[in-house]
Amino acid sequence: MGSLLQLFARLGNFLTLLFLEGICLMLIVQGGPKQKDILLNTTGLIVNVANERISNLTSYLNLKQQVAELKNSNTICHNARPGARYDNVLVKDTININDSLYSYIAAEVISRNIYGANNTMILNRGGAHGVEKGMGVISDKGIVGIVEDTSRYFCKVISILHSKSRVSAAVISRDTSRKKNNDTFGVLVWENGHSEYANLTDIPRYHEVAPGDTIMTSGYSFAFPQGHLIGVIESIPGPDPIKTSMHGIKVRLSNDPIRLRHVYIVKMDRKKKEDLLRLEKDGGYEQ
Amino acid sequence: MNSKMIFSNVLRFALILLVQVFILKRIVLMLDGRPSFQILFYPVFLMILPFKTPRIALMLIGFLMGIFIDMFYTPLGLHAGALVLMGYARPWILSFLAPRDGYNMNHSPTIKRMGRTWFLKYAASLLFLHTFFYFSLEAFTFVYIVDILWQTLTSFAISMVFILIFMQVFNPED
């Protein structure tokens, strides 16, 4: 026992250093449920409320730009009103084809961690407002990310600028002579790099793509409806370094997910989603 | 350490924490959408603790402060890890920079007590260690050594400016 105490007196400082650094490294590496719980629940109460207050104060600073953006989306809403269009839809069936598949929940970004390879943000809408894990998040200019976790009043969003982010994306050719490749689709990923660019992978090299082609959401997921703008092909430096039969495509994102404030959470109609899931699972419709 | 000193240090702890997470973090975000640098101002708290603070206390205080800061940044443990190492290294830097007749153990390493040149050398060594370890820990590999060095240098320079402004304006004695 005595020699143990002696040892501690001699090496105590160094052992404490190792112990504390060990805890820190564990916290960093883990990033698992423990960190998520602490982030969303424990600090959520204090930090998010404080963040929201501060965010409210600082929101006055760029009020002008915010108003312009809101006006823009208001215009889109007005355009979509039934009265604003010439109605030539024929009633073909008893099924109401105007039934909406997706609805949108307006939300505001109250805090963001946009440093390094894993960019996330916290929105001021949560389970109480109907937000669920896996929902997509968009803004006026393009897609923003996917909800990773929710608490009662807040949700955490994995931005498309995150090493874990995977978004199904379709290429729309600008050149009409290549229209036949319209249905090409791949996966949008992002590596720690510039926030304006992402990479599009899994497009086979026999498909012709060219700089200037538009990238949109493919609709092959529950998170995003089809046809939301993602960006434009900036350049095609060459084949994918890992999967050499695929294109390596650099995409200029239309959105700037790290400066946004007003976003919309995409909510798929629950009944229809369950319906679709059942079809995929059982391969048939249960009456 | 008398009760007045404890009180002023607790107050300083809280204020530096608030300035770091509510002002400096936001300044960085405003200047640069996805920042390639950080303003790390809070290490100044650990720097100007009294000379006689034992090494183990430095590490524990560093850990506590780091965890508080980390709650506002992700991932948890990054600032704490860097600050604990800085606390461990402080006695070495102090003994390296010791004047010929030693330190007065009741004082603190501040500009008022030790002079501007000495403090510049002292703060720069500790802050460089802190920023370098912080960005290494953040990248978690030395593959991106060029990025790490570049981020370390820019953040080091900007943080140093903030720390020196703080020391000049408030000029704490202990």
Side-chain angles (χ1 to χ4, degrees), chain A residues 47-58:
Chain A
V47 176
N48 283 343
V49 170
N51 265 331
E52 195 171 17
R53 292 263 161 85
I54 301 279
S55 187
N56 279 341
L57 282 178
T58 52

Side-chain angles (χ1 to χ4, degrees), chain A residues 13-14 16-17 20-21 23-25 27-29 35 38-39 43 47 50-51 54-55 58 61 110 112-116 119-120 161 190 192-193 195 258-259, chain B residues 22 25-26 29-30 32-38 55-56 59-60 63 67 71-78 80-81 84-85 88 133-135 137-138 140 151:
Chain A
N13 283 327
F14 188 64
T16 317
L17 176 78
L20 290 177
E21 292 291 356
I23 295 180
C24 293
L25 284 183
L27 285 172
I28 297 172
V29 175
Q35 190 190 358
I38 294 169
L39 189 76
T43 64
V47 176
N51 265 331
I54 301 279
S55 187
T58 52
L61 293 177
I110 56 166
R112 54 195 102 199
N113 293 298
I114 51 170
Y115 195 68
N119 302 298
T120 59
L161 307 182
W190 186 81
N192 191 4
S195 68
I258 55 190
R259 283 189 200 277
Chain B
F22 284 131
K25 184 184 169 193
R26 272 157 209 285
L29 297 193
M30 250 183 240
D32 194 356
R34 194 178 146 272
S36 49
F37 65 94
Q38 284 282 29
R55 192 176 242 180
I56 202 156
M59 284 189 281
L60 287 172
F63 183 73
I67 287 290
M71 285 180 181
F72 293 83
Y73 291 79
T74 50
L76 208 58
L78 207 55
V84 166
L85 186 82
Y88 185 75
F133 192 63
Y134 172 84
F135 286 109
L137 211 54
E138 202 235 351
F140 225 78
Q151 287 172 326

Side-chain angles (χ1 to χ4, degrees), chain B:
Chain B
M1 197 187 250
N2 55 28
S3 60
K4 184 178 158 257
M5 235 162 131
I6 293 177
F7 177 74
S8 71
N9 267 307
V10 169
L11 198 68
R12 200 183 282 160
F13 182 96
L15 287 178
I16 287 178
L17 193 77
L18 291 178
V19 166
Q20 175 69 42
V21 297
F22 284 131
I23 301 178
L24 296 182
K25 184 184 169 193
R26 272 157 209 285
I27 289 180
V28 171
L29 297 193
M30 250 183 240
L31 291 178
D32 194 356
R34 194 178 146 272
S36 49
F37 65 94
Q38 284 282 29
I39 304 176
L40 301 172
F41 165 68
Y42 61 90
V44 75
F45 177 77
L46 215 59
M47 286 176 192
I48 59 176
L49 283 176
F51 282 119
K52 62 184 172 189
T53 321
R55 192 176 242 180
I56 202 156
L58 287 170
M59 284 189 281
L60 287 172
I61 294 170
F63 183 73
L64 189 72
M65 178 150 216
I67 287 290
F68 272 120
I69 303 262
D70 276 325
M71 285 180 181
F72 293 83
Y73 291 79
T74 50
L76 208 58
L78 207 55
H79 293 89
L83 211 53
V84 166
L85 186 82
M86 198 191 110
Y88 185 75
R90 198 184 99 145
W92 281 344
I93 305 281
L94 277 179
S95 68
F96 190 69
L97 293 171
R100 201 173 305 145
D101 43 355
Y103 297 108
N104 182 340
M105 279 302 158
N106 292 320
H107 289 172
S108 297
T110 55
I111 290 185
K112 206 164 188 175
R113 293 287 191 197
M114 303 302 298
R116 201 166 291 158
T117 331
W118 184 89
F119 184 79
L120 193 67
K121 274 190 273 181
Y122 167 69
S125 350
L126 279 183
L127 189 70
F128 187 80
L129 189 75
H130 179 85
T131 33
F132 180 68
F133 192 63
Y134 172 84
F135 286 109
S136 311
L137 211 54
E138 202 235 351
F140 225 78
T141 156
F142 282 106
V143 174
Y144 304 114
I145 186 71
V146 180
D147 283 349
I148 293 175
L149 284 176
W150 176 243
Q151 287 172 326
T152 304
L153 286 178
T154 48
S155 308
F156 168 75
I158 298 168
S159 309
M160 203 63 208
V161 170
F162 274 85
I163 288 176
L164 290 179
I165 290 174
F166 167 80
M167 291 304 283
Q168 283 293 337
V169 171
F170 291 95
N171 207 0
E173 190 172 69
D174 284 309

Side-chain angles (χ1 to χ4, degrees), chain A residues 117 162-163 189-194 197-199:
Chain A
H162 191 290
S163 56
V189 296
W190 186 81
E191 285 144 21
N192 191 4
H194 205 282
Y197 301 103
N199 298 328

Side-chain angles (χ1 to χ4, degrees), chain A residues 94-158:
Chain A
T94 48
I95 295 171
N96 184 0
I97 57 166
N98 277 327
D99 208 1
S100 68
L101 183 56
Y102 292 96
S103 57
Y104 298 83
I105 304 168
E108 226 174 283
V109 178
I110 56 166
S111 122
R112 54 195 102 199
N113 293 298
I114 51 170
Y115 195 68
N118 300 316
N119 302 298
T120 59
M121 49 186 106
I122 307 262
L123 309 183
N124 65 351
R125 292 285 179 267
H129 309 99
V131 181
E132 281 163 29
K133 193 181 167 183
M135 288 180 176
V137 179
I138 60 164
S139 77
D140 296 338
K141 291 184 206 150
I143 66 170
V144 178
I146 288 174
V147 175
E148 188 206 20
D149 206 350
T150 61
S151 66
R152 189 157 166 71
Y153 295 114
F154 300 98
C155 67
K156 184 183 177 190
V157 174
I158 283 193

